[in-house]
Amino acid sequence: MKKFLVAIVAVLFAAPSFAQISSGGFSLTESTVYYGMRMGLNVANLTGDTEGFSGANAGLNLAGVLGLRISDSTPIFLESGLYFTQRGAKKDKNTYANLNYLEIPVLLKYGIQATDEIAVLPFIGPTFSMGIAGKMKSGEGTDKESSFGSDRFNRLDAGIKFGCGAEYNKLYLEMGYQFGLSNIADWKVNATDDASVHNGAFFVNLGVNF
């Protein structure tokens, strides 16, 4: 796994040397379409009736994205894509919930030309996710179980992502926070009341835009 991650990082850093030097993988002065790759780190948590799953859980982001300038007069971009993202939370090695999602964000980005070669892009937008896999464990000696299903976590989630990115010669770096709007708990805290749990994650991603 470590060798795989090192190889991807090497490709991302090498890619700009093969690309034509410009102010970025997109233009702030003309209509354009761009696409890119992302890889990074999630520091995720769960809030609400978490039943002990309350600590931070580190995970991976991998994505391909596609963006489009949507205004001729203003450098506003619409970006979407497909992400594999790992979320969840943990208390210790015997109490954790790993939640793996496929995610589609719909982000509005505003481009600011900081220098001739650096563009700064704050962004915000909704995200839509589906849980595809994951394991959970609650307490020492308890067997691992699937994270999704009846009396566990719901697969569907929606949220808001916001942050800021910067691009230099097609190399792109972003960081931000994502908070879930959907209740992903599928259990009760007592005989009458449903549990309420929401995803949250601080993220840092590195990538390239073309």
Side-chain angles (χ1 to χ4, degrees):
M1 183 64 176
K2 289 183 179 179
K3 292 182 179 180
F4 173 70
L5 295 178
V6 169
I8 293 180
V9 171
V11 170
L12 293 180
F13 275 101
S17 65
F18 296 100
Q20 181 180 357
I21 300 301
S22 68
S23 61
F26 52 84
S27 170
L28 298 183
T29 59
E30 61 185 30
S31 299
T32 187
V33 174
Y34 67 91
Y35 59 95
M37 299 180 294
R38 305 283 186 266
M39 185 187 75
L41 173 70
N42 261 342
V43 180
N45 65 348
L46 297 173
T47 57
D49 305 313
T50 60
E51 296 188 343
F53 304 113
S54 57
N57 189 45
L60 180 68
N61 284 324
L62 289 173
V65 302
L66 179 68
L68 170 69
R69 180 168 177 156
I70 59 176
S71 171
D72 292 332
S73 60
T74 307
I76 298 178
F77 300 83
L78 183 67
E79 181 181 292
S80 187
L82 182 63
Y83 282 70
F84 169 77
T85 179
Q86 296 179 315
R87 302 181 200 154
K90 65 180 180 180
K91 180 179 179 181
D92 52 43
K93 65 179 182 179
N94 296 312
T95 303
Y96 60 84
N98 296 323
L99 307 175
N100 299 329
Y101 290 90
L102 289 180
E103 172 193 292
I104 297 177
V106 182
L107 303 177
L108 279 177
K109 295 190 168 187
Y110 182 80
I112 302 169
Q113 198 76 46
T115 70
D116 289 343
E117 294 184 327
I118 297 176
V120 177
L121 296 108
F123 59 85
I124 189 170
T127 63
F128 306 94
S129 306
M130 174 173 283
I132 57 171
K135 294 292 183 181
M136 60 184 292
K137 186 178 180 183
S138 180
E140 189 171 358
T142 303
D143 292 335
K144 295 178 184 178
E145 300 177 337
S146 172
S147 295
F148 299 103
S150 178
D151 295 325
R152 296 185 180 91
F153 294 97
N154 293 315
R155 290 186 181 274
L156 297 181
D157 189 22
I160 299 291
K161 177 184 284 189
F162 63 92
C164 189
E167 182 172 319
Y168 171 74
N169 288 345
K170 303 187 185 297
L171 185 65
Y172 179 78
L173 175 68
E174 67 178 9
M175 62 180 61
Y177 189 80
Q178 179 173 353
F179 61 92
L181 299 177
S182 301
N183 178 17
I184 61 170
D186 189 24
W187 65 82
K188 292 183 178 295
V189 293
N190 54 48
T192 58
D193 297 324
D194 292 332
S196 178
V197 176
H198 294 82
N199 271 309
F202 171 79
F203 61 87
V204 178
N205 292 325
L206 177 66
V208 288
N209 288 332
F210 301 99

